[in-house]
Amino acid sequence: MIKSLDTLEFKFPWRSYQAELLKHFNSHIEDNHFHVIAPPGSGKTILGIEILRKLGKKTLILAPTLTIRNQWEDRMQSFFTETSNFEAFSFDVKSPSDITFSTYQSLHAFYKTFEDKNDYYQFFKTHNIETLVLDEAHHLKNAWWTCLMDLKKNSVFHIIALTATPPYDSSRIELSKYFNLCGEVDDEIAVPDLVRESDLCPHQDYVYFSKPEDLEINFIVDYRRKIADFNDEILKDEDFISFLTNHRFYKNPNWHLDELYTDTQYFSAILIFLNACGFEIDHQKLEVLGFEQKEMIQFPKLDLQWLGILFQNLLVTDREQLIEQEAYVLTLEKKLRRLNVFEKNTIDFVGEQLLYKSLSNSPSKLKSIVSIVNAERESLKTDLNCVILTDYIRKEFLNISSEKIDDINKIGVIPIFQYVRHCCDKPEELAVLSGSIVIIHKSILKAFEAIVSLDDFSFSPLEIDASFLLVTAKGKSKNSIVHIITQLFENGNIKVLIGTKSLLGEGWDAPSINSLILASFIGSFVSSNQMRGRAIRKDLDSPDKTGNIWHLACVDPTNLDGGKEVDTLKRRFEAFVGVTNSTIPYISNGFDRLNIPEKIPVESIETLNDSTLKRATNRILISEKWNNAIGKGTKLTKEVKVLKTGNLPYKKQQQIYYFDALRFFVVDLFFAFMLFYVEFAIESFNLILQRGLLYFIYAFLAAFVAGFGYKFYKALKLYLRHGYLYKKIGKMGLAILDTLNELSYLTSTRNAITVNSHLVGKGDVVCNLDGANAFENSLFSKALTQLLEPIDSPRYLIIKTSAFRKRLDIENFYAIPEIFGDKKEKALVFQKHWSHYLGRNKLIYTRNIEGRKLLLKARLFHVYNAFKEVTKEVMVWK
């Protein structure tokens, strides 16, 4: 133990959620990792200092910026020292002390100075540094992780990872690196805890939709028409069909098994295309995949995603293997380039990049911003404190006149400034703050001078409006001007501030913000959550503050679901926890909580926006909903939601999947039987008199089997395949939970945890643990999701089967979750508990020839759901 750390002691009472997190610290740190999600305002810096104090080891604290690095030292001296400052610290990683504060950049630069990396590892051993604190750990998806991973592999450290939002939407490789370094999430401080303790204000997210300009609509419609024409033509193209039927995968699958096993989607795309154009697929080709002659495959529809996979492989991934057909492949390439679907070695029939770029940049969003600002000003009057964040500055529009404002065709800081200046009331309350351009209204010069001397800055009137001034610092850093403009905003001299998310999105603090408009379309979960965090901080000067967060989306008129922009918003909302818009409010993450219709036709946008603006003005209701919803729970619980599939109306879908299909059959059979019996008895009365009662019974049974046998077979097969789905998923959950317990993953008592599985909404199934902690919930939900998702490449498969099931062609394939699939011993434990709850099965190892064949067969069974969202992990306050 380092003696100097004993002198540190937190001077204030711990907040309830902080005390709860610290209570479980010892059990979480047993694997040398403590990974915590803590939103802005939760005091995660103070928690980090308390944790390193508890560990009592020499510590290196790493932060993404110098500002955040310095905050650590300031918090330590302010909150953990009573009479004198703590002296045993350093800001230089090359000269470490008991506590060293540094940045990821500095460590990375230090790492590169060592030619022999063994000297780098030895440096930390020599200085006895045994604890690493990684602040804002989501930044580690960048190159900085390399020097830390190398260090971790060659030494043993306690790793404390703190973040507001893990980078869940990064690539699988980056996310894997992140969790390998930081460990699984151990605990989370929930937003509802912070709202309850008044450390965050009540808040709500709103989506304001816009319709593309006529030029954009014409472009989209023309693009979709060209793709549809190409799709129709290629399905009838005899040359292309011949090209595919002569492809090595289809012509001689036995010769290319390794390739087939490696890239199932490519082979699937070939089969799906041939099936779509009416080509009869030779069943012998499927036998190599483990399908028997009698088995049938339900091929999915050939949509643009499957077409994209097919051509991505033909034109890029597999091209070297098709060198003999290069001339023909080149003609395909030229055709797709003319359609603008093949650029930078990427096929995109959906138009995600091309159309998304057009819609995300749509000037229609400028009108949306004007509508929101006007509505918020009318609602809040002088209390308005609005910030608008976007991605680009667009200086080329700085001197555009009001008469030519409609010529603005891109969204950015200056276009937003021009629209708000021209279309909104009180332009004198408007300002711009970015790294390279600052604009204020001349009416606030006196307030500016009250903060700093005007001699330190130059002020140039704008060409198009002399009442606005361009502000330039004379030898001052940009941080100085940021501080001044922020203070003017906090003082109420500026009511609408437009800036870039790169400058104001992370680390910037202006507690008075009560309306935030996110006009940013480049971003991840992390950046979106950081920007959103600006508006939900409490304001000591306004204890009744509520925050409105506005998200903009330009709707694709050719897509009833809203298109790519709405999809992007839906993914972002997975990282946001908030209160629902429902009559009976509850707290959850996800887009569904806003109660926005699934289908968003263009003609309904105006009505939808009017309703949203009306709801947003009722800020008292937001506070009431938070208070009501918080009172219904004590913690955030992670649930796995199995989504209703298919296009059948809910009542019919319900009968097939979620009710006992056999029970419906019995009811149906009873009425049919009564009619059949009466009719048969009347018609066969003479038969009883002539042949006797026994003959009548035989005749009746024969007629019954002929009339109802097939119906009974279908109902029984349906029941065996689906049964009570929510009960079956509950049993899967029990198998996972008991396996976690037997393998000692649980830190809580097994008897204190129960599996809860039930139906919600319009037919979704929800499954979660009651009585588990955040770490156990995380392990459980991840395992259940992997079990239910379309099969990828697990080491072990479990097949729910029996001789009876196999005869009826109803084998079910499931992937053994990764946590149990790394070793056979663990897989066998899971199989044991599966057998207990779900009956007979086979365990298949997929890394040998027979196993890979069954794996491919399993993938093809799941191919119908390849691009569908089958499950979703949801956070709910309970």
Side-chain angles (χ1 to χ4, degrees), residues 234-247 249-251 267-286 296-297 299-300 302:
I234 201 74
L235 283 170
K236 299 172 185 174
D237 189 331
E238 295 295 335
D239 290 338
F240 187 69
I241 293 171
S242 175
F243 172 64
L244 286 185
T245 53
N246 283 292
H247 190 283
F249 281 6
Y250 189 80
K251 194 172 184 179
F267 183 59
S268 299
I270 293 172
L271 297 180
I272 291 163
F273 182 89
L274 292 174
N275 179 72
C277 61
F279 187 85
E280 187 175 346
I281 296 172
D282 184 352
H283 207 286
Q284 287 183 338
K285 310 295 184 185
L286 300 176
M296 298 297 294
I297 299 177
F299 287 98
L302 177 71

Side-chain angles (χ1 to χ4, degrees), residues 125-173:
K125 291 175 182 175
T126 301
H127 288 278
N128 295 318
I129 295 174
E130 297 180 69
T131 300
L132 297 177
V133 178
L134 312 178
D135 191 22
E136 305 293 356
H138 52 265
H139 287 286
L140 288 168
K141 64 176 186 173
N142 297 320
W144 301 334
W145 79 276
T146 308
C147 55
L148 284 163
M149 281 302 294
D150 274 8
L151 197 57
K152 181 181 177 182
K153 288 175 184 174
N154 288 275
S155 303
V156 177
F157 292 96
H158 293 301
I159 294 180
I160 313 302
L162 307 170
T163 183
T165 312
Y168 287 125
D169 62 340
S170 299
S171 69
R172 182 177 293 184
I173 294 174

Side-chain angles (χ1 to χ4, degrees), residues 802-821:
S802 67
F804 184 53
R805 281 177 167 272
K806 193 165 185 179
R807 185 165 296 176
L808 290 178
D809 179 23
I810 46 176
E811 288 181 299
N812 298 107
F813 297 87
Y814 300 93
I816 299 283
E818 285 179 18
I819 193 171
F820 310 137

Side-chain angles (χ1 to χ4, degrees), residues 642-645 650 652-661 663-664 722-726 729 759 762-765:
V642 185
L643 304 176
K644 178 175 72 74
T645 57
Y650 171 54
K652 291 184 181 178
Q653 189 84 37
Q654 198 179 43
Q655 289 178 18
I656 293 175
Y657 289 101
Y658 306 128
F659 276 48
D660 184 340
R663 181 156 42 124
F664 274 88
H722 301 293
Y724 271 126
L725 185 61
Y726 75 91
I729 289 172
L759 290 171
K762 296 182 178 180
D764 299 336
V765 177

Side-chain angles (χ1 to χ4, degrees), residues 454-479:
L454 297 181
D455 295 335
D456 294 333
F457 298 86
S458 64
F459 301 89
S460 311
L462 287 186
E463 245 179 65
I464 48 145
D465 188 343
S467 63
F468 281 96
L469 307 172
L470 277 170
V471 183
T472 309
K474 296 177 180 177
K476 292 278 183 178
S477 70
K478 71 176 182 180
N479 289 332

